[in-house]
Amino acid sequence: MTGRWRPRGPRTLRLRLTLGYGAIFLVAGLALLGVTYVLFDQQLTRSFEDRFVAAPGLHKQFFIVNGDVQLTGDAAVEWLRRQELELRGAAGTSLLAQGVLALAVVGGAAIAFGWVVAGRMLAPLHRVTDTARRIAAAPLAERGLHERIALEGRPADEVKRLADTFDTMVERLDHSFDGQRKFVANASHELRTPLTLNRALVELAMHRRTASPDVKELGESLLEINARHERLISGLLLLARSEQEIADRSPVDLADVVTHVVRQTAGDAAAAKVTVYEVAGQAPVTGDALLLERLVHNLVENGIRYNLDDGSGWVRVVSRTVADGKAQIEVSNTGPEVPPYEVPPLFKPFHRHGAERVVTARSAGLGLSIVRSIAVAHGGDVSARPREDGGLVVTATLPRARQ
C-alpha cells in the first residue's frame, strides 16, 4: 500500500506550536552561528594580512628557530603563515563546535519554554473545549445549556471573541429550548379546557331521553376520539415536565414502584389476557416518585398493549441493582417480532410500531419517549432489544441512591 507516512497519535495544537517555535529558533540560531563564523574568519584573515602589509621588507629580517632548524627571510615568513592558518582553522573549528553545543542546549531550553508558553496561550481554548464537552455530554434536562465559559479578565483578542460568541450561541439555544418546553406545556394546559367541555357536551347529548341510537353511536365515537386527545395532551404535559430539571428529589425504591404499578395495571392485563410476572428486587434511587411511577407504568402498559392476543402472552417486570452502582428496571414481553432496525425509532415521539392507525390508535405514541426523557432527567438512560421469540426487552438504568 502506498501513501505518505504519518506519525501515530494525535498531534495537538500545543505540540505543533512548540515544534514551530523550536524550528524557528534553531533556524535563526544556525543563521546567527554561520554569520558569526564568517565574520570571525574574515577578521582573522584581515589581522594576519595587515601584519605583513604594514611594514614592507620587514619579512626579510625574520629569524625563527624551529627546533634545530633556523629559518630566516621568506622561509620564516612561510612558516609563520602556516602557523597562522592552523591557528585560524583551530579557532574556527572551536567556534563551530562550541556554538553548535551552545545552540543545542539553548534550543532545548527554548523548546521547553515554548511548550510552557504554548500551554498558557492555549489554556483559554481548553476551557472552551471543556465547557463545550460538558454541554454536549449533559442531558438537556440537567440544564447543560446553562453553562457559560465567561472568559473574563482577558484582552479582546481572538480567543476572547471566540468564547463570547460561543456563550452567546449557547444562551440563544437555551432560551429557544426553554421557550419550546413552555409553549408545549402552556398549549397543553390551554387545550385541556375545550376537550373537557367537548366531553361534557357529548355525554349530555348521549344521555338525553330523546337521543336516537345514531346519536349515541356518534357520541361514543366522539368520546373515544376525545379520550385519545386527552391522553395525547397528558403525554405532552408529562414529556415537557420530564425534560425539565428535577430540583426536588426524594429516596424511592423501585421495588415499591413495580409492585404498585403491577397492581394498578392488573385490570388491563386481565382484559388483554396477559399474565404479568413481578420480580421486585431492591433498587434504591433518588428522584421524582411520580415520574418514576410513570416510567414503570408506561413500560408495563406497552408490554400489555403490544402482546399476543391468544391468551398465552406474558409480561415480566424486574427491579434490581447491578454491580456498577446502578439500579435497573427491566420489562420483557411476548409479542410480534420486532426487527432490530425498528427499535431506535420506537423512542421517538408519535412513533408507533406496526400498522396502528393514527386516528383510532389507543396510544399517543409518546410512551417510550416519555420513558427515555424521565430516565435522562434522573441521570440514566433506556435501551431496548428484540426478544428471539418476539416482543421486546426494555431496560431503564438509573443511578443508585447513595447509602
Side-chain angles (χ1 to χ4, degrees), residues 138-153:
L140 185 60
E142 294 184 1
R143 303 286 186 176
L145 290 176
H146 283 249
E147 282 204 56
R148 301 291 183 270
I149 300 173
L151 198 62
E152 304 294 342

Side-chain angles (χ1 to χ4, degrees), residues 382-395:
V382 178
S383 61
R385 58 180 176 85
R387 287 185 66 252
E388 295 182 357
D389 299 329
L392 282 175
V393 179
V394 184
T395 305

